[in-house]
């Protein structure tokens, strides 16, 4: 399973939803609370092509996007394949 990283913000409902889906699937992920850390936020924005909203999710080296993007992959049946790669 590739490394999964999720850049988050405290009290963010989208972050909670994205993490809940990953938890439901039994995925181990690294949570990076970036909103209160300017260096980590800059890192997130650089990796995500300038996106500054939370969460920003990466599977391996691939930028998945935010919560809606993760949920869309799940609805289309494509998330499990990305997690298994």
């Amino acid at each position: 399973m590739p490394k999964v990283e999720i850049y988050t913000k405290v009290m963010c409902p989208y972050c909670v939803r994205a993490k809940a889906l990953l938890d439901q699937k039994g995925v181990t992920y690294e949570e990076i609370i970036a909103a209160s850390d300017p260096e980590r936020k800059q890192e997130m924005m650089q990796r995500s092509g300038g996106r500054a909203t939370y969460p920003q999710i990466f599977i391996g080296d691939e930028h998945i996007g935010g919560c809606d993007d993760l949920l869309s992959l799940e609805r289309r049946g494509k998330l499990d394949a990305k997690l298994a790669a």
Side-chain angles (χ1 to χ4, degrees):
M1 180 179 288
K3 181 178 182 177
V4 178
E5 297 169 287
I6 179 168
Y7 289 84
T8 63
K9 173 179 163 179
V10 175
M11 303 292 290
C12 165
Y14 299 104
C15 300
V16 170
R17 179 64 184 110
K19 292 188 302 181
L21 175 58
L22 295 172
D23 290 339
Q24 177 186 342
K25 294 186 148 303
V27 174
T28 301
Y29 55 87
E30 177 184 356
E31 179 177 8
I32 303 162
I33 302 172
S36 58
D37 183 337
E39 289 179 18
R40 297 300 268 191
K41 183 175 182 177
Q42 187 62 35
E43 172 187 298
M44 176 192 81
M45 290 175 64
Q46 183 177 8
R47 289 183 70 194
S48 68
R51 287 189 172 185
T53 59
Y54 296 97
Q56 291 301 316
I57 304 159
F58 295 83
I59 299 176
D61 291 329
E62 182 180 357
H63 177 233
I64 300 303
C67 181
D68 290 342
D69 301 305
L70 184 71
L71 295 173
S72 177
L73 282 174
E74 175 68 2
R75 279 192 304 275
R76 293 182 288 141
K78 296 185 177 188
L79 181 57
D80 289 339
K82 289 189 179 297
L83 293 169

